[in-house]
Amino acid sequence: MYNQPIMSIENTSAVILAGGFGTRLSEETHSIPKPMVEVGGMPIILHIMNSFSYFGVKKFIILAGYKQEILKSFFANYYLNRRDIEVSLIDGKINFLNSESKEWNIKVLDTGLNSMTGGRILRAKKYLEKEDDFFLTYGDGVSDVNLKNLYDQHMTSKDHVATITTVPQPSRFGAIKIGDDNTISSFQEKTMDGGGLINGGYMLLRPEVFNYLEDDNTVFEEDPLRNMCSDGVLKSFVHNGFWRAMDTLRDKMTLDELVQNKKAPWIY
């Protein structure tokens, strides 16, 4: 739990990439999209959205693809899925018996079965035209990153297009180099020695980011980020706390155990 007061950033949307096949977690994703895989009895995408909500974010745009109909059905029937009900078979009236409620506005977009991450973001452009900045993250990773501090750092200047949360991570990811002013100077391919910083998701983007996206085949983590890096318009927000991507069944089991033991740092 954070000690500082939480200031509302509710006018900033959180865009969540949720359209991939999740092939490395095929034990779970053969029948559901990866963001719907449950951690501690709740889809991981709800863990992510609750983290944003804690900091005041109330608007969400979910970029669906693989089995997008399951995400749409889940949120269209959110209260039916999450609350106890009483049903009258006389008139079909449904009463919800417990008080969970969310002041959220959620858009679930079908951004194509085979679209790459940059293509999915591009397809959301028309829904973000009235926003100067928006969050972006992945639908399979949880963190205790302080989103208010990320927002504040991003808003300190207008000379960059994006701020990405960077986290320490072992060798299966590539590394990022940053300068003294948090400007990212280079992306590196995957290394064998581990260490360094990698993209942990939880980004803030400005509309200029769409100038770096071409079509459905654009992989956001490749040319767009590299080109922003070359242009000197990509900033880093270093997070040394908890971060975990749910790439494998082992990752899911680790996250499950944290929730069950009430030691999940991302639950406030």
Side-chain angles (χ1 to χ4, degrees), residues 38-247:
E38 292 192 354
V39 170
M42 184 170 74
I44 192 170
I45 194 169
L46 282 186
H47 286 276
I48 296 165
M49 295 168 76
N50 281 334
S51 295
F52 276 101
S53 181
Y54 174 79
F55 287 94
V57 176
K58 298 181 180 179
K59 298 188 298 180
F60 299 91
I61 301 177
I62 299 172
L63 308 183
Y66 173 66
K67 296 191 179 295
Q68 50 86 25
E69 69 279 0
I70 293 177
L71 280 160
K72 288 179 178 176
S73 177
F74 177 79
F75 285 106
N77 297 287
Y78 180 83
Y79 287 129
L80 195 61
N81 292 325
R82 300 291 300 173
R83 293 167 66 174
D84 295 335
I85 64 171
E86 176 186 29
V87 181
S88 169
L89 297 184
I90 299 172
D91 57 10
K93 185 177 180 181
I94 298 175
N95 292 321
F96 296 102
L97 301 180
N98 42 5
S99 60
E100 180 191 5
S101 63
K102 303 286 189 185
E103 295 182 358
W104 294 354
N105 180 278
I106 304 168
K107 296 180 177 69
V108 182
L109 311 182
D110 180 2
T111 58
L113 182 61
N114 297 304
S115 299
M116 299 292 102
T117 48
R120 297 190 192 283
I121 299 166
L122 187 58
R123 289 202 187 197
K125 180 180 179 180
K126 64 181 180 180
Y127 298 105
L128 294 162
E129 290 178 344
K130 295 182 179 180
E131 300 196 26
D132 294 329
D133 305 85
F134 59 92
F135 285 101
L136 174 73
T137 198
Y138 301 97
D140 62 355
V142 287
S143 175
D144 62 353
V145 60
N146 189 315
L147 296 172
K148 179 60 171 56
N149 288 350
L150 166 62
Y151 181 86
D152 287 346
Q153 179 186 303
H154 177 75
M155 298 301 291
T156 55
S157 69
K158 294 288 186 181
D159 63 351
H160 56 282
V161 173
T163 302
I164 68 174
T165 298
T166 53
V167 297
Q169 187 64 29
S171 60
R172 64 191 174 107
F173 296 92
I176 292 171
K177 290 185 178 180
I178 61 174
D180 293 337
D181 63 349
N182 291 316
T183 299
I184 295 177
S185 59
S186 72
F187 272 76
Q188 297 177 344
E189 295 298 324
K190 294 179 182 180
T191 59
M192 296 303 295
D193 56 353
L197 296 171
I198 61 101
N199 176 7
Y202 297 93
M203 307 169 238
L204 267 161
L205 309 177
R206 295 199 163 104
E208 290 83 355
V209 72
F210 294 112
N211 298 330
Y212 292 85
L213 308 177
E214 294 184 4
D215 54 32
D216 281 351
N217 296 316
T218 302
V219 179
F220 181 67
E221 298 78 10
E222 295 180 358
D223 284 347
L225 286 183
R226 292 193 188 109
N227 291 337
M228 280 185 267
C229 180
S230 297
D231 293 343
V233 293
L234 186 59
K235 296 284 187 179
S236 164
F237 176 80
V238 178
H239 173 60
N240 290 308
F242 180 87
W243 174 86
R244 187 77 176 238
M246 188 182 65
D247 286 328

